[in-house]
Amino acid sequence: QVQLVESGGGLVQAGGSLRLSCAASGRAFRRYTMGWFRQAPGKEREFVAVISWSGGNPSYADSAKGRFTVSRDNAKNTVYLQMNSLKPEDTAVYYCAAAAPYYSGSAPGAYDYWGQGTQVTVSS
């Protein structure tokens, strides 16, 4: 079992930065692949980034490459999403999610646990 709680969202101007955190509880945290997703009003949930249980070889959606960085600190039971050069189109509710350690893809349906989400709003 893994419980996830996101934090760090807020209002930021275009070009600014935010760091999202996802605090996890549960002894099995180290066994999970962790992903970040986002969902804007009226749109489908969208993959943003994923990182393996070991923290190696993170991958990103094209929209996030070069601007976002995903990392994890298993000792702190925390996953991060550093977001730089934010754009208005990044505005969404951001979710962290946990999947089985053998999964490293972008399909929301493959993720077993989800946080409540944190709102990110980027003003122009």
Side-chain angles (χ1 to χ4, degrees):
Q1 287 289 121
V2 174
Q3 298 177 39
L4 307 172
V5 179
E6 301 95 334
S7 63
L11 176 64
V12 65
Q13 294 184 15
S17 299
L18 285 173
R19 188 178 73 161
L20 306 183
S21 297
C22 176
S25 62
R27 57 185 272 184
F29 174 74
R30 294 185 302 276
R31 297 175 57 194
Y32 287 88
T33 292
M34 298 298 299
W36 285 97
F37 297 79
R38 66 188 184 187
Q39 188 166 22
K43 297 183 179 180
E44 295 183 348
R45 191 167 299 181
E46 177 186 30
F47 168 76
V48 177
V50 62
I51 188 168
S52 72
W53 69 273
S54 67
N57 196 29
S59 62
Y60 303 89
D62 288 342
S63 61
K65 290 179 180 177
R67 300 188 299 125
F68 293 4
T69 302
V70 62
S71 61
R72 68 191 295 166
D73 186 339
N74 289 342
K76 296 181 178 179
N77 289 345
T78 303
V79 180
Y80 304 96
L81 184 68
Q82 177 68 45
M83 304 187 294
N84 299 324
S85 301
L86 283 163
K87 305 174 182 179
E89 53 262 43
D90 295 319
T91 296
V93 176
Y94 283 71
Y95 300 89
C96 65
Y102 53 81
Y103 188 76
S104 60
S106 60
Y111 288 77
D112 301 306
Y113 303 100
W114 294 82
Q116 84 289 351
T118 185
Q119 176 71 48
V120 172
T121 302
V122 184
S123 62
S124 60

